[in-house]
């Protein structure tokens, strides 16, 4: 896609800045990480529009605004360790890595893990993609400065909170009513702040490794 830089700039101006995302580092990441690399081939022409796109196996890549907003809420600093639960195609991990974070990203669908690794390599961005159920987190590399959940959850598991550093933050879409979620920022000390309403696919327990159709 030869014109992706122009499309990414338009995406940032119209979809993200216009909706009050202000962090300059996040805006730069959204401009510079090639989103089209992280979507299926038949969705490349829609890579920079303001909506989620299907990845197969009932999984999606979130709309650009939501990726930017959740990233901004994390207050990422270079060198931070971040755990992502719900890795998908690797795009959120790529944005976090662009900001200088060291990212471990868990994904339950084996084929998506393989695809995400290829996507990250194609974009020349490094992140650790791991085939694993996300409900138990990833204690092997804990503690983390930040945790981001990129699928809808009914509640925040204590297991995740236990894997945060003393000043850690967690961001997740939490169900507040039937088929409605809202972005939650929770500090290690239990303090909560609520943000935009949103829609995500639910976080699932089962591990899958069959090929996607």
């Amino acid at each position: 896609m030869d014109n992706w830089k122009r499309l990414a700039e338009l995406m940032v101006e119209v979809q993200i800045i216009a909706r009050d995302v202000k962090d300059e580092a996040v805006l730069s990441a959204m401009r510079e990480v090639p989103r089209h690399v992280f979507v299926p081939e038949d969705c490349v022409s829609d890579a920079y529009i303001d909506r989620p796109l299907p990845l197969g196996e009932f999984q999606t890549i979130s709309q650009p605004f939501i990726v930017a907003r959740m990233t901004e809420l994390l207050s990422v600093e270079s060198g931070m360790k971040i755990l992502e639960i719900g890795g998908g195609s690797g795009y959120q991990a790529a944005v976090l890595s662009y900001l200088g974070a060291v990212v471990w990203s868990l994904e339950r669908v084996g084929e998506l893990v393989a695809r995400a690794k290829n996507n990250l390599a194609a974009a020349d961005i490094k992140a650790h993609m791991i085939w694993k159920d996300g409900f138990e987190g990833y204690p092997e590399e804990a503690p983390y400065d930040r945790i981001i959940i990129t699928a809808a959850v009914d509640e925040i598991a204590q297991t995740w909170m236990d894997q945060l550093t003393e000043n850690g933050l967690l961001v997740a879409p939490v169900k507040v009513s039937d088929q409605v979620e809202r972005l939650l920022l929770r500090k290690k000390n239990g303090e909560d702040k609520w943000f935009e309403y949103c829609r995500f696919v639910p976080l699932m327990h089962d591990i899958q490794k069959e090929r996607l159709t």
Side-chain angles (χ1 to χ4, degrees):
M1 178 179 279
D2 295 335
N3 64 337
W4 77 267
K5 283 277 194 176
R6 181 179 63 82
L7 294 174
E9 180 63 39
L10 186 64
M11 174 188 78
V12 170
E13 293 295 328
V14 175
Q15 303 174 32
I16 299 174
I17 293 177
R19 297 174 74 176
D20 209 32
V21 175
K22 298 177 179 178
D23 188 304
E24 289 295 337
V26 173
L27 298 176
S28 177
M30 299 300 293
R31 291 184 180 102
E32 297 299 326
V33 176
R35 191 169 188 261
H36 64 279
V37 171
F38 296 88
V39 305
E41 289 185 9
D42 59 352
C43 294
V44 166
S45 62
D46 294 332
Y48 296 93
I49 67 175
D50 190 29
R51 66 180 178 89
L53 298 171
L55 297 175
E57 202 61 38
F58 307 106
Q59 304 300 306
T60 62
I61 178 174
S62 296
Q63 71 186 97
F65 165 71
I66 287 293
V67 173
R69 181 53 130 184
M70 293 181 76
T71 304
E72 183 177 55
L73 292 176
L74 285 175
S75 301
V76 178
E77 297 177 10
S78 182
M80 280 184 169
K81 292 175 62 176
I82 298 182
L83 175 65
E84 179 191 17
I85 296 173
S89 68
Y91 180 63
Q92 177 69 80
V95 170
L96 295 170
S97 295
Y98 182 89
L99 293 172
V102 182
V103 182
W104 283 266
S105 182
L106 310 184
E107 171 55 52
R108 57 180 274 274
V109 180
E111 178 65 18
L112 280 182
V113 173
R115 192 184 300 171
K117 288 180 178 179
N118 290 335
N119 295 341
L120 288 161
D124 195 25
I125 294 175
K126 293 182 180 179
H128 304 281
M129 297 298 307
I130 300 162
W131 177 40
K132 191 178 187 300
D133 183 319
F135 278 89
E136 297 303 318
Y138 195 60
E140 292 88 336
E141 293 292 341
Y144 303 95
D145 300 291
R146 304 287 186 263
I147 296 178
I148 180 171
I149 316 296
T150 51
V153 297
D154 293 321
E155 60 184 2
I156 304 301
Q158 186 60 44
T159 302
W160 301 331
M161 299 304 296
D162 290 343
Q163 292 178 30
L164 282 172
T165 60
E166 194 62 32
N167 295 313
L169 303 175
L170 179 147
V171 172
V174 178
K175 293 180 183 178
V176 293
S177 62
D178 186 37
Q179 296 185 332
V180 177
E181 297 95 44
R182 195 173 177 188
L183 294 181
L184 172 66
L185 169 65
R186 177 168 291 180
K187 295 183 179 181
K188 175 74 170 184
N189 64 11
E191 179 183 338
D192 288 347
K193 290 185 179 180
W194 292 93
F195 295 88
E196 286 85 354
Y197 289 93
C198 53
R199 289 291 300 274
F200 278 77
V201 298
L203 186 65
M204 304 294 287
H205 251 306
D206 58 315
I207 291 289
Q208 296 188 18
K209 63 179 180 179
E210 66 268 18
R211 292 193 64 81
L212 304 179
T213 58

